[in-house]
Amino acid sequence: MASQSVSLLFGVHAHQPIGNFTEVLVDAHLRCYQPFLHVLSRFPEFKFALHFSGWLLDFLFEHYPDDMALLREMVERGQVELFSAGETEPVLAVIPNRDRIGQIETFSKKLEKKLGQYPQGAWLTERVWESTVVPALVDCGIRYAIVDDYHFICAGKTKDELIGYFTTEEDARTLDLFPISEILRYRLPFSPAHEAVAYIESLAESSANNRQAAAIYFDDIEKFGIWPETYQWVYESGWLEQFIQGVLASSKIIPRHYRDYHASEKTRGVIYLPTTSYIEMNEWTLPAEPANAYASLVQQAKSAGWYEHSKSFLRGGIWKNFFSRYPESNWMHKRMLTLSARFAALPVNQRTDEMRQKLYASQANDAYWHGLFGGLYLPHLRRAIYSNIVELEALLDSCVSRPTFFIEDTDLDGVDEAYLHNKNLQAVVKLDGSASVCELDAYHLRHNFGDTLRRQTEHYHCRVHQGAHNFPKHNDAGIASAHDRIDLKQQIVSSDLTVDNRAQSVFIDEFNGMPIIYQLESHDSSSVRFLSTVDQGSIVKELKLSENNLSVAYSLSGELTGSIACEINLAMPSCDGVGGRYIKNGVEVLGGFGQNFDLDELTNITLDDIVLQGALILRISEPVKLQANPHFSVSQSEGGVEKIMQAVKLKLIWPVSIKKLKIVLEVDDKSK
């Protein structure tokens, strides 16, 4: 009877970012996906839901066909319910509706083809909820979706009410919503198995009046083997098997599919959720000072004992804040939106599957944000986004050409950008007075050399300053969640946390240590010319695109004393790894990109990069002084706090006695 039992709706979400290293995917499978499936396959009566993101699913089918055959067998015997989402795991709320529909349909059809089941339910990436996603979900055949119970609490519900699903509507479409239990998210798999089972059993008391209560869990599968300490805890110490056996032995718990519960139980009523994500994400979206203030308020509320009753009134930011918080994220997003519109404007017979795949890959969520997770600080994940953006742009240009020069405000920041491009290169010049290049694309290499990241103050930096010995310790039974720990993966000193006061662009100029402010003077189809008046003289700066070259010519006139400095920040895929090296005058290997160099009388240096399968050759018309340094940032992940190289920082310095100087960046595509 309903009054004696509770339905356990257990689901897990598996995802790896597009562009992640192969060794990371292999490790994730061997420590998590494979053992998880193998353990659960021994208990066919334990029903559960599963979502693999599309790119990860393709990887597993290619490299681990036996495990995927096991998964298909588990689906066919009715043990596994598959959940849909966007094909590349986009945040649906930040892509156009046409792409939402395309992404969901693409992935649902893939599940049906590969695993034999067309899904009724959907996983929402990072549980980011906006009501605008409802029409696309419903139009793709989705009947229910999963969000946090926090979303419902923010709408005025109490936790005692959140033991079933509710119904919402938007634009004449109705969608049912299941609230994920925050308590279960923090208990599984971190508390002892018997305690987790006992808690689920206690929810059976909520069933009454022939209505079956549900214990609702849907969270990252990576907690079951990849998070710190979890492989030993979940598999070697047997937590997962103990939990399953405890559930199956219980007279009060009935493992069920979401679809079966949805079909047999009625909605608990209508609900309208605010725009939000999970609690932690709402903190991560805030800039450092507001995030610290928010975290302080939360801690005060917890200490005073009123947080749980009133936390819906202590709400942080929304996911889209990442675009206003990180200009680099915003730039990627707006570039993607522009290409989406160009793709949609093509005649249907010109839209290719390759174009669509590149567009969807450029919408993958990971590189657009940062918190405990998210990959904005990871250059290889941003590189994957830009690789698809650059490839898609080249494909679109082959169908409908663009002017070789045009001006627009791409990122909606109130400052225009000037675009110079040909079939090989594209340079986007910021018209903010710096006359610097914010994007430098090599189409054949599928790479943006301007893909750098400025250092910002992050809310966890204050804890880094404290030192690892001051971080909170976990004293309860079980193991600590990644949310409750911060470890230093390497030594971090105060200078590592220096904040950049400007974008890390290409060709940023200084006169005697002060920024040079330029005015746009003229342009033609392949060049743009700027003028700056300094002291008793002037500086003309002209950027010109030609074949595989971007050149910058400086002309000085008048009474000037001192020196000019030009800073060139370049995204090199090898970063401080073994694949990158400086080569002087084409023959002398100086060292790797992670090293510091001071060179005098330099006229030629090559940045050779094995990962890129290409090189950048820097030629200067007159001998100059070069300072070369790696540019690092400090960020956190579930594994701890670490330094990550973001760019090669080259600084060229020459006296004003050199009235004319030309710097040429030549792209060497070794794959041709």
Side-chain angles (χ1 to χ4, degrees), residues 363-544:
Q363 296 171 341
N365 81 90
D366 305 270
Y368 286 99
W369 64 282
H370 171 67
L372 179 59
F373 313 104
L376 179 65
Y377 273 91
L378 301 179
H380 64 288
L381 298 189
R382 297 198 312 273
R383 187 166 70 247
I385 296 293
Y386 274 116
S387 175
N388 286 284
I389 284 176
V390 171
E391 284 192 87
L392 175 58
E393 190 162 62
L395 291 170
L396 292 170
D397 285 347
S398 68
C399 292
V400 180
S401 61
R402 294 177 294 157
T404 57
F405 178 91
F406 62 94
I407 293 175
E408 68 176 26
D409 180 8
T410 300
D411 53 354
L412 309 180
D413 67 347
V415 176
D416 286 337
E417 294 84 33
Y419 283 72
L420 290 165
H421 78 97
N422 57 34
K423 65 179 181 179
N424 298 315
L425 297 179
Q426 176 167 256
V428 184
V429 184
K430 202 73 175 170
L431 303 183
D432 59 356
S434 70
S436 63
V437 175
C438 63
E439 181 171 338
L440 177 58
D441 301 316
Y443 286 116
H444 295 297
L445 291 174
R446 305 175 301 281
H447 183 66
N448 170 21
F449 289 101
D451 173 24
T452 59
L453 187 73
R454 76 196 73 190
R455 296 173 297 190
Q456 292 195 28
T457 299
E458 297 289 353
H459 67 96
Y460 50 82
H461 282 176
C462 60
R463 299 176 71 184
V464 175
H465 282 299
Q466 295 171 1
H469 61 279
N470 287 324
F471 295 155
K473 306 298 181 182
H474 180 75
N475 298 314
D476 298 333
I479 60 173
S481 163
H483 295 286
D484 299 324
R485 65 168 81 220
I486 291 188
D487 299 316
L488 297 182
K489 298 178 72 172
Q490 59 199 117
Q491 184 179 7
I492 307 295
V493 298
S494 296
S495 59
D496 295 325
L497 302 177
T498 301
V499 174
D500 295 317
N501 58 11
R502 54 171 170 74
Q504 300 299 289
S505 305
V506 183
F507 300 126
I508 307 171
D509 303 327
E510 293 180 348
F511 172 62
N512 292 333
M514 297 298 294
I516 300 176
I517 306 301
Y518 294 97
Q519 297 293 324
L520 176 64
E521 189 177 53
S522 63
H523 65 80
D524 58 32
S525 61
S526 62
S527 66
V528 58
R529 181 183 176 96
F530 297 90
L531 173 67
S532 179
T533 301
V534 292
D535 284 357
Q536 303 301 310
S538 64
I539 302 172
V540 173
K541 177 180 184 179
E542 184 176 23
L543 295 94
K544 184 177 182 64

Side-chain angles (χ1 to χ4, degrees), residues 24-233:
V24 174
L25 274 69
V26 170
D27 178 70
H29 183 67
L30 296 180
R31 287 199 296 131
C32 182
Y33 312 143
Q34 183 181 74
F36 186 90
L37 290 176
H38 281 239
V39 170
L40 268 73
S41 70
R42 302 202 308 269
F43 302 94
E45 61 272 37
F46 186 89
K47 299 180 185 298
F48 68 102
L50 179 64
H51 167 248
F52 276 102
S53 55
W55 184 72
L56 175 58
L57 192 65
D58 291 339
F59 176 87
L60 296 177
F61 264 94
E62 179 182 355
H63 294 88
Y64 300 99
D66 291 344
D67 291 326
M68 293 299 97
L70 174 62
L71 174 57
R72 183 173 181 115
E73 177 186 327
M74 295 167 71
V75 171
E76 290 174 345
R77 74 188 184 196
Q79 184 179 5
V80 178
E81 177 183 3
L82 299 175
F83 268 61
S84 188
E87 159 73 6
T88 61
E89 203 70 14
V91 171
L92 293 177
V94 302
I95 64 175
N97 192 65
R98 59 179 177 267
D99 295 337
R100 295 171 192 162
I101 293 173
Q103 286 252 17
I104 298 165
E105 285 185 340
T106 297
F107 185 59
S108 292
K109 290 176 181 177
K110 175 180 287 187
L111 291 178
E112 185 174 38
K113 180 179 179 180
K114 289 182 175 291
L115 294 169
Q117 185 184 110
Y118 197 94
Q120 299 180 33
W123 167 263
L124 291 181
T125 300
E126 300 303 326
R127 283 105 74 193
V128 176
W129 174 261
E130 287 190 14
S131 60
T132 54
V133 306
V134 171
L137 290 165
V138 175
D139 290 350
C140 292
I142 299 301
R143 301 181 63 190
Y144 45 88
I146 316 298
V147 293
D148 280 12
D149 59 4
Y150 175 73
H151 297 50
F152 290 77
I153 292 170
C154 288
K157 294 296 181 183
T158 65
K159 283 197 173 182
D160 291 342
E161 296 177 273
L162 303 180
I163 51 176
Y165 68 86
F166 293 77
T167 301
T168 194
E169 57 83 21
E170 180 77 11
D171 196 19
R173 280 88 150 186
T174 59
L175 181 72
D176 293 326
L177 300 174
F178 284 89
I180 304 168
S181 167
E182 181 188 24
I183 294 176
L184 284 178
R185 278 205 304 121
Y186 276 84
R187 284 182 179 269
L188 306 184
F190 306 106
S191 63
H194 70 275
E195 292 184 7
V197 171
Y199 172 74
I200 296 170
E201 286 181 327
S202 71
L203 299 178
E205 299 175 3
S206 301
S207 294
N209 301 322
N210 293 319
R211 304 200 73 176
Q212 181 82 49
I216 304 167
Y217 177 85
F218 215 123
D219 208 355
D220 297 343
I221 196 175
E222 287 80 15
K223 291 181 175 180
F224 297 81
I226 298 177
W227 283 25
E229 299 184 56
T230 56
Y231 179 80
Q232 189 277 335
W233 173 254

Side-chain angles (χ1 to χ4, degrees), residues 222-373:
E222 287 80 15
K223 291 181 175 180
F224 297 81
I226 298 177
W227 283 25
E229 299 184 56
T230 56
Y231 179 80
Q232 189 277 335
W233 173 254
V234 172
Y235 303 112
E236 293 181 350
S237 296
W239 184 94
L240 183 57
E241 188 162 338
Q242 293 163 23
F243 174 73
I244 295 172
Q245 289 175 337
V247 167
L248 296 178
S250 173
S251 61
K252 296 183 178 181
I253 304 175
I254 305 173
R256 299 180 72 187
H257 286 316
Y258 281 84
R259 64 179 180 234
D260 294 335
Y261 184 91
H262 184 259
S264 65
E265 298 293 325
K266 292 185 179 299
T267 180
R268 302 271 172 162
V270 69
I271 191 79
Y272 294 94
L273 303 179
T275 297
T276 191
S277 181
Y278 51 88
I279 296 175
E280 299 89 351
M281 180 70 80
N282 293 348
E283 176 183 314
W284 299 335
T285 65
L286 296 172
E289 288 191 18
N292 287 334
Y294 173 77
S296 177
L297 285 171
V298 169
Q299 188 55 50
Q300 291 175 37
K302 288 181 177 180
S303 298
W306 57 267
Y307 175 71
E308 283 301 322
H309 299 291
S310 304
K311 64 183 176 184
S312 62
F313 304 111
L314 274 180
R315 204 177 308 171
I318 64 172
W319 198 90
K320 286 180 179 176
N321 287 155
F322 287 118
F323 299 145
S324 55
R325 183 178 168 199
Y326 296 106
E328 296 85 356
S329 173
N330 183 54
W331 180 261
M332 284 193 301
H333 180 253
K334 302 309 180 287
R335 287 278 280 127
M336 175 275 292
L337 290 181
T338 299
L339 296 180
S340 174
R342 287 187 65 192
F343 175 73
L346 284 179
V348 174
N349 61 355
Q350 291 188 30
R351 300 178 204 164
T352 66
D353 290 340
E354 183 182 12
M355 290 179 185
R356 184 175 289 102
Q357 187 274 327
K358 300 299 178 188
L359 172 61
Y360 291 172
S362 74
Q363 296 171 341
N365 81 90
D366 305 270
Y368 286 99
W369 64 282
H370 171 67
L372 179 59
F373 313 104

